[in-house]
Amino acid sequence: MKHFKIILSSISSMLLVLVFTVQNTFAQTERKAGDDLGTEQVNVVQDYKPTIVDAVKLNDNPQVNDSTPLDPKLSYKLLSKHFENNFELEPITAAKMKGGTFD
């Protein structure tokens, strides 16, 4: 029974490949004499003038009508810890400018 399923699946896959191959072959056939799209003469009356229409912004926000109000119960615990650092500030000297004084 197990071998039968394997043989059946391989035959079905081969059939599937065959069908797609035949379809592809018919899609590649040459055109006939009546299949030509032909030519057509077009008379241009005026120049093309492209225009851009003003955009309209939609301000439709969904409204949710919820009957139960949301009341979250939050609790916070603050830990008072001191952060030790060895950073010392150094004073910044003022920049000196050449030239006249500012009034």
Side-chain angles (χ1 to χ4, degrees), residues 34-65:
D35 290 343
D36 190 19
L37 294 176
T39 58
E40 182 179 342
Q41 184 175 356
V42 178
N43 295 327
V44 178
V45 179
Q46 64 183 19
D47 291 340
Y48 175 70
K49 297 177 185 173
T51 58
I52 298 176
V53 181
D54 290 337
V56 178
K57 182 178 179 183
L58 301 176
N59 278 334
D60 294 336
N61 291 330
Q63 294 184 1
V64 178
N65 296 327

Side-chain angles (χ1 to χ4, degrees), residues 45-94:
V45 179
Q46 64 183 19
D47 291 340
Y48 175 70
K49 297 177 185 173
T51 58
I52 298 176
V53 181
D54 290 337
V56 178
K57 182 178 179 183
L58 301 176
N59 278 334
D60 294 336
N61 291 330
Q63 294 184 1
V64 178
N65 296 327
D66 195 2
S67 60
T68 54
L70 181 64
D71 188 22
K73 301 201 185 310
L74 304 174
S75 63
Y76 299 101
K77 292 181 181 178
L78 299 177
L79 302 174
S80 60
K81 289 188 177 182
H82 183 67
F83 179 70
E84 296 288 333
N85 63 359
N86 297 330
F87 182 73
E88 293 183 16
L89 295 176
E90 296 179 11
I92 299 174
T93 57

Side-chain angles (χ1 to χ4, degrees), residues 3-60:
H3 298 293
F4 179 71
K5 288 183 180 180
I6 294 172
I7 293 171
L8 187 63
S9 67
S10 65
I11 290 174
S12 62
S13 62
M14 290 164 93
L15 264 171
L16 188 63
V17 168
L18 180 68
V19 166
F20 283 124
T21 305
V22 169
Q23 262 186 336
N24 196 13
T25 306
F26 284 122
Q28 301 296 326
T29 59
E30 293 183 15
R31 293 184 181 212
K32 298 177 185 173
D35 290 343
D36 190 19
L37 294 176
T39 58
E40 182 179 342
Q41 184 175 356
V42 178
N43 295 327
V44 178
V45 179
Q46 64 183 19
D47 291 340
Y48 175 70
K49 297 177 185 173
T51 58
I52 298 176
V53 181
D54 290 337
V56 178
K57 182 178 179 183
L58 301 176
N59 278 334
D60 294 336

